[in-house]
Amino acid sequence: PIRVAVTGAAGQIGYSLLFRIASGEMLGPDQPVIIQGLELPMALGALEGVAMELTDCGFPLLHGIETSSNPDEAFGDADVVMLVGSKPRGPGMLRSDLIRENGPIFIGQGKSIDANAAADAKIIVVGNPCNTNCLIAAAQAKRIPKANWTAMTRLDHNRAIGQLAQKAGVGAGDIDGVTIWGNHSPTMVPDIDRATIGGKPVADTLDAAWLADEFDGTVRTRGKAIINARGKSSAASAANAALDHIHDWFLGTGDSPYVSMAVPSKGDYGIPEGLIFSFPCRITAPWQYEIVTGLDLSDSVRDKMQGTIDELVGERESVSDLL
Ligand code: NAX
């Protein structure tokens, strides 16, 4: 079995995620899994309840469900690590406060993963601010390769696809070639210059003014719109995106040429090296991704990209003592 460690496993996202991991949707219909859930001590009882429900589903691929509030135990021999739990943003808290509050958690978890997980473990950070939390955790790694530390912008990617599909009146499967650049924050850059609907450029089907204004703004601020409508942040769609990220990293992107993943920059497109930045990534073999290079970016995308680069550089500076 593949061992999958999930933090914040009793939270909203965890409750959507664990059942789908156990059913085989993430790692394929023939791949047995063992789930190792980590929770804060106060939420361990709730996690044990979730574990009981998982048992009660009788999933054929689920070979075990372990629960713990000890990171060293929960990350032990894990092949896949999904860092979902983090400190939520409280009332009046700035993004910079949130980054500082989460820093120590991700230092501790990064150290523990590096010491206890499988030597080639694959990590996705979902807990916000996910790019910089990932940067902090990855900085602790001495054994696990830096390239294995990734953060989630797949929800933003899927949101962009959803908007285009809805507007064009087609299924999401007809959309391809979308990219999210940068940070998982409102500075992200949804890029549809190479996107297609049923194989034709998006600009041939959809109104240019809608694409430039409404589409862009909707994708960037979708998280807030969900909170306003639902009274709670995105959970099932976030779990779905985390599942897609790991699924595609392992099993490939099917007919799509690439997907958006926040991964360590190697300097491509002038992005400062080391930043955890969302790029178009293609999967070349199971658990092997490659940043798609050489794309010709429009002036408009380049201009917007500077904003997200500046934000991520600022976030990195604000935690430089933790790296
Ligand atoms: P919840 O508050 O429902 O659940 C979080 C769980 O994490 C809680 O059960 C809590 O006990 C646990 N937890 C907190 N600190 C922990 C620690 N140090 N170790 C282990 N467990 C810990 O939040 P939920 O809605 O599930 O969201 C989880 C995270 O995902 C948040 O940080 C949220 O901001 C982030 N999101 C990221 C998204 C993305 O696209 N990257 C989108 C969705 C979501 O907003």
Side-chain angles (χ1 to χ4, degrees), residues 131 134 146-153 182 245 249 260-266 271-272 274-281 289-291:
N131 299 55
C134 180
K146 293 279 189 225
N148 293 16
W149 299 77
T150 68
M152 184 169 96
T153 49
H245 179 114
W249 192 355
S260 306
M261 296 169 73
V263 301
S265 169
K266 291 186 288 182
I271 310 305
L275 284 187
I276 306 293
F277 196 91
S278 182
F279 288 99
C281 292
Y289 69 81
E290 184 178 271
I291 295 171

Side-chain angles (χ1 to χ4, degrees), residues 230-260:
R230 213 172 81 88
K232 290 180 189 165
S233 56
S234 317
S237 56
N240 180 67
L243 203 95
D244 283 350
H245 179 114
I246 296 293
H247 173 278
D248 288 2
W249 192 355
F250 183 37
L251 296 168
T253 59
D255 292 336
S256 299
Y258 45 76
V259 288
S260 306

Side-chain angles (χ1 to χ4, degrees), residues 19-320:
F19 295 86
R20 295 183 64 190
I21 297 173
S23 76
E25 281 183 76
M26 185 167 83
L27 298 170
D30 303 317
Q31 177 59 58
V33 290
I34 294 174
I35 294 177
Q36 305 179 175
L38 178 71
E39 258 300 347
L40 295 175
M42 65 182 183
L44 202 52
L47 180 56
E48 276 154 15
V50 177
M52 288 159 71
E53 282 200 78
L54 278 163
T55 303
D56 295 349
C57 290
F59 288 120
L61 294 172
L62 185 61
H63 282 226
I65 157 96
E66 295 160 15
T67 60
S68 177
S69 58
N70 176 351
D72 293 351
E73 218 169 81
F75 297 135
D77 298 326
D79 303 293
V80 176
V81 179
M82 306 179 80
L83 299 179
V84 179
S86 71
K87 211 162 195 171
R89 192 155 166 175
M93 216 169 157
L94 301 174
R95 191 175 169 89
S96 51
D97 300 331
L98 187 67
I99 291 172
R100 294 296 313 176
E101 291 265 334
N102 273 298
I105 297 173
F106 284 85
I107 288 182
Q109 293 192 347
K111 276 197 178 123
S112 177
I113 293 165
D114 198 52
N116 296 288
D120 204 20
K122 308 295 181 300
I123 298 107
I124 175 176
V125 181
V126 175
N128 279 322
C130 62
N131 299 55
T132 296
N133 286 343
C134 180
L135 184 78
I136 294 170
Q140 303 307 317
K142 297 186 180 69
R143 190 174 62 109
I144 298 176
K146 293 279 189 225
N148 293 16
W149 299 77
T150 68
M152 184 169 96
T153 49
R154 185 60 180 266
L155 179 55
D156 311 303
H157 179 101
N158 288 349
R159 283 169 171 165
I161 288 176
Q163 287 304 305
L164 295 175
Q166 194 176 46
K167 188 73 176 172
V170 300
D174 288 333
I175 313 287
D176 247 324
V178 165
T179 304
I180 301 293
W181 299 95
N183 203 359
H184 170 66
S185 88
T187 67
M188 76 178 83
V189 184
D191 176 1
I192 48 163
D193 288 346
R194 285 160 303 283
T196 54
I197 301 179
K200 290 193 205 128
V202 164
D204 288 2
T205 311
L206 298 179
D207 175 51
W210 179 84
L211 288 170
D213 302 326
E214 215 174 310
F215 164 78
D216 200 70
T218 301
V219 174
R220 287 167 185 251
T221 59
R222 187 69 160 180
K224 198 148 188 264
I226 303 275
I227 295 176
N228 291 344
R230 213 172 81 88
K232 290 180 189 165
S233 56
S234 317
S237 56
N240 180 67
L243 203 95
D244 283 350
H245 179 114
I246 296 293
H247 173 278
D248 288 2
W249 192 355
F250 183 37
L251 296 168
T253 59
D255 292 336
S256 299
Y258 45 76
V259 288
S260 306
M261 296 169 73
V263 301
S265 169
K266 291 186 288 182
D268 297 305
Y269 300 101
I271 310 305
E273 217 175 314
L275 284 187
I276 306 293
F277 196 91
S278 182
F279 288 99
C281 292
R282 80 165 67 86
I283 307 302
T284 53
W287 299 126
Q288 300 294 323
Y289 69 81
E290 184 178 271
I291 295 171
V292 177
T293 55
L295 297 176
D296 199 11
L297 305 188
S298 66
D299 290 346
S300 144
V301 165
R302 283 219 174 265
D303 283 353
K304 290 183 196 159
M305 235 150 91
Q306 197 54 50
T308 203
I309 294 171
D310 291 347
E311 183 179 52
L312 280 168
V313 168
E315 289 185 12
R316 179 163 71 180
E317 276 163 10
S318 74
V319 296
S320 57

